[in-house]
Amino acid sequence: MPSTRVVIDLDLPGATISRHVYGHFAEHLGRCIYGGFFVGEDSDIPNEGGIRLDVVEALRELNIPNLRWPGGCFADDYHWRDGIGPRDERPRMVNSHWGDVVEDNSFGTHEFMQLCEMLGADAYVNGNVGSGTVREMSEWIEYLTRADDSPMASLRRENGRDEPWKVPFFGIGNEAWGCGGNMRAEAYADLARQYATYVRNHGDNTVYRIAAGANSDDYAWTDELMKALGCLGCDGQGSSPYQALSLHYYTMSGSWEAKGSATEFDEDEWYLTLSRAYRIEELLTRHSTVMDRHDPRRRVGLVLDEWGTWWDVEPGTNPGFLYQQNTLRDALVASVHFDAFHRHADRLVMANIAQTVNVLQAMLLTDPETGALVKTPTFHVFAMNTPHHDAQALAAHVVDGETRTEDGRELPLLSASASTKDGAALVSLSNLDAGQARTVVLDLRGAEIAGFSAQVLTAASTADHNTPENPDAVAPASHDGIRRHERGLEVDLPAHSYVTVTLELA
Ligand code: AHR
């Protein structure tokens, strides 16, 4: 078999990869907010206003562009007024979706906005359509973003915050087809129009309103929400009630009933998982195609605001807390998603991994006993990919690449993408082969390469992961398996590895 080539035209940049596709998601679920982000001001763990400083410091390495909160399913149970004012006077509620635990509302609007400020991230606030009122949603955005002495701006001031915040992103409910109200698409589309109308722009805060979109391959849901926007070519997105639709897609090797273990899997499950991750390519293509029918000028954005792996919870942990370990397999699930995101940069405006700390495919895991913090393999893929933020996508054509058939679909064993920014380019290469190393030629056209370097993320076993005892079992390292080649560069990819190549363009 001829050696695999990746052909990249460095002088033909495409759409800008929004940094927001590297977005995050923090729900009131298990130990994501409580114990993960927020420990309270009296904790021994160093904190500012109750927010863990070690978590913030680690996440700042990722340049988190935005953070979605408070859910997820929790969003449609959440009444924001319960989460403002003195903490010891805040009403309590039952978090019925996640462990049936009592929520004391000690982390609310002010704490979330402080967290965003500390992270340097834009706020993506998800409103309540399922059990909330239009008035409640309307007053929340007024409370958050209005400067004058309006009733809600005054209330915010009474609670200690004078200046309005910026809230660029607002979700109109969540999973309205399921936990957000079990609605039919037609019914929700009307509610989305109605609720979004009252999420007003106050002062110079312009809100990008995101309607609760489809589950996985429910193209009919996308079609209905697009239909409800009417004639986009007539008046443009300025007067659309919502500017984007979301999409949720989770990766697992099993079924919703038995999702599979995060750390104990065989080679078949490895390939099945990666093939299901790779399915995101088909989902983005087909949802975009449905959207194109209504909106050929691509004014309406697609927002994948929940994605990632969903495994059986770690043995001995609360099944409602969705706490799972994170291996090299999760890292490659992430890199395959990012390659697809880069290819769909012209329609995909945002994506949010579920979820940032201690829940599902997390960046960080904290020990409930000692508080120790661990960076996961997925964290490292996010870190290695920061140069893709706001860079221009470059097509990366894999020629003579091997594939295998999984789940009735073709899975390429090499996944690749590339982008360029500021006189440099970044090439991402995922070798999905569980046991076989491979060498690929980067066939680089349209620019001279003044310098290059590479990083590799791999481990002895596909199931290797990081723990407080061994926090760097899976960590990136400088990669010297790269050299000049007559067509550009030649790169060695270890079995089950993720490699990024930085090119300095002459
Ligand atoms: O991320 C966990 C849950 O998955 C979210 O709350 C919900 O929106 C989805 O079903």
Side-chain angles (χ1 to χ4, degrees):
M1 171 140 193
S3 69
T4 304
R5 275 185 302 141
V6 181
V7 181
I8 302 173
D9 287 307
L10 293 160
D11 57 346
L12 294 178
T16 299
I17 298 166
S18 171
R19 66 185 181 285
H20 289 294
V21 301
Y22 286 87
H24 283 263
F25 173 32
E27 180 166 11
H28 288 237
L29 193 179
R31 295 189 299 109
C32 182
I33 295 292
Y34 300 110
F37 277 110
F38 188 76
V39 284
E41 284 169 304
D42 299 333
S43 172
D44 292 339
I45 296 175
N47 68 83
E48 193 176 308
I51 295 168
R52 282 183 74 143
L53 291 174
D54 55 353
V55 165
V56 169
E57 189 191 331
L59 293 175
R60 283 193 72 98
E61 275 179 57
L62 304 184
N63 292 336
I64 287 193
N66 69 77
L67 185 62
R68 176 178 183 237
W69 171 85
C73 294
F74 183 78
D76 283 293
D77 262 340
Y78 185 63
H79 300 281
W80 69 272
R81 275 182 181 251
D82 294 349
I84 55 172
R87 288 199 192 115
D88 54 1
E89 292 172 21
R90 296 184 190 175
R92 293 150 76 88
M93 65 177 284
V94 174
N95 189 338
S96 46
H97 289 290
W98 307 121
D100 204 32
V101 293
V102 174
E103 157 74 52
D104 69 1
N105 279 307
S106 53
F107 188 92
T109 296
H110 290 248
E111 290 78 11
F112 172 66
M113 295 308 297
Q114 181 188 343
L115 172 61
C116 288
E117 284 176 349
M118 289 165 73
L119 291 171
D122 285 343
Y124 173 6
V125 172
N126 208 116
N128 177 349
V129 171
S131 70
T133 64
V134 173
R135 175 176 180 174
E136 204 177 342
M137 195 179 281
S138 169
E139 289 183 343
W140 200 5
I141 197 74
E142 180 188 327
Y143 185 92
L144 283 158
T145 61
R146 199 167 167 94
D148 61 10
D149 61 351
S150 80
M152 289 302 114
S154 304
L155 182 60
R156 183 190 67 238
R157 261 181 223 107
E158 277 170 35
N159 289 325
R161 170 78 185 197
D162 184 21
E163 289 295 306
W165 292 286
K166 286 271 184 271
V167 177
F169 305 110
F170 200 97
I172 313 298
N174 170 72
E175 296 195 350
W177 38 264
C179 64
N182 283 312
M183 297 178 214
R184 292 173 311 115
E186 298 82 348
Y188 171 70
D190 280 341
L191 286 183
R193 288 180 62 98
Q194 181 190 359
Y195 276 69
T197 303
Y198 296 89
V199 179
R200 297 201 162 98
N201 294 333
H202 294 282
D204 61 358
N205 187 72
T206 304
V207 190
Y208 191 75
R209 300 165 194 81
I210 301 161
N215 181 26
S216 181
D217 58 1
D218 185 353
Y219 303 111
W221 186 278
T222 296
D223 191 50
E224 198 61 46
L225 287 190
M226 290 303 293
K227 230 182 337 184
L229 283 177
C231 182
L232 288 160
C234 308
D235 47 16
Q237 79 169 31
S239 55
S240 296
Y242 43 89
Q243 287 73 50
L245 317 183
S246 66
L247 168 67
H248 289 180
Y249 177 62
Y250 284 100
T251 299
M252 57 192 75
S253 59
S255 61
W256 282 105
E257 290 68 41
K259 301 173 188 79
S261 160
T263 52
E264 284 169 28
F265 52 87
D266 59 21
E267 208 168 282
D268 287 345
E269 287 173 275
W270 160 270
Y271 286 116
L272 187 55
T273 303
L274 291 166
S275 138
R276 291 190 175 172
Y278 183 64
R279 191 171 169 227
I280 190 62
E281 176 66 37
E282 172 192 317
L283 295 174
L284 294 176
T285 302
R286 295 187 64 182
H287 281 286
S288 297
T289 304
V290 172
M291 294 173 80
D292 283 349
R293 282 212 298 269
H294 303 269
D295 172 32
R297 291 165 71 183
R298 303 202 164 171
R299 289 167 154 164
V300 179
L302 183 60
V303 171
L304 181 70
D305 59 11
E306 288 187 28
W307 68 274
T309 52
W310 194 324
W311 305 120
D312 296 337
V313 297
E314 279 301 293
T317 65
N318 187 326
F321 281 13
L322 310 188
Y323 177 78
Q324 63 190 41
Q325 247 300 350
N326 192 299
T327 67
L328 186 68
R329 177 175 62 164
D330 296 78
L332 287 167
V333 165
S335 65
V336 163
H337 274 77
F338 288 135
D339 289 341
F341 296 175
H342 302 161
R343 285 189 287 271
H344 289 271
D346 55 351
R347 178 67 91 174
L348 187 74
V349 295
M350 188 193 284
N352 304 72
I353 191 159
Q355 301 190 4
T356 313
V357 190
N358 289 335
V359 169
L360 298 178
Q361 192 176 349
M363 309 304 104
L364 301 174
L365 300 176
T366 69
D367 187 297
E369 310 294 320
T370 63
L373 182 76
V374 163
K375 292 174 182 167
T376 64
T378 301
F379 175 101
H380 295 305
V381 174
F382 272 75
M384 289 164 81
N385 273 16
T386 53
H388 285 305
H389 294 199
D390 290 333
Q392 284 179 281
L394 295 166
H397 303 281
V398 177
V399 181
D400 293 325
E402 270 180 81
T403 61
R404 64 183 272 154
T405 304
E406 279 302 322
D407 223 6
R409 292 190 167 81
E410 214 180 22
L411 172 68
L413 291 178
L414 174 69
S415 178
S417 69
S419 72
T420 181
K421 187 171 69 176
D422 302 336
L426 188 75
V427 182
S428 290
L429 301 164
S430 302
N431 182 9
L432 307 185
D433 202 310
Q436 193 79 50
R438 48 176 33 85
T439 296
V440 300
V441 170
L442 298 186
D443 189 337
L444 303 170
R445 303 171 179 186
E448 291 301 313
I449 308 303
F452 58 87
S453 62
Q455 276 201 303
V456 61
L457 184 73
T458 191
S461 146
T462 53
D464 279 357
H465 52 274
N466 297 332
T467 60
E469 297 70 40
N470 195 1
D472 295 318
V474 188
S478 160
H479 186 47
D480 53 13
I482 183 166
R483 56 212 155 261
R484 291 218 182 244
H485 179 274
E486 55 187 346
R487 289 180 183 265
L489 296 169
E490 193 172 53
V491 192
D492 302 327
L493 306 180
H496 53 263
S497 67
Y498 179 57
V499 169
T500 51
V501 178
T502 303
L503 306 173
E504 198 189 313
L505 306 180

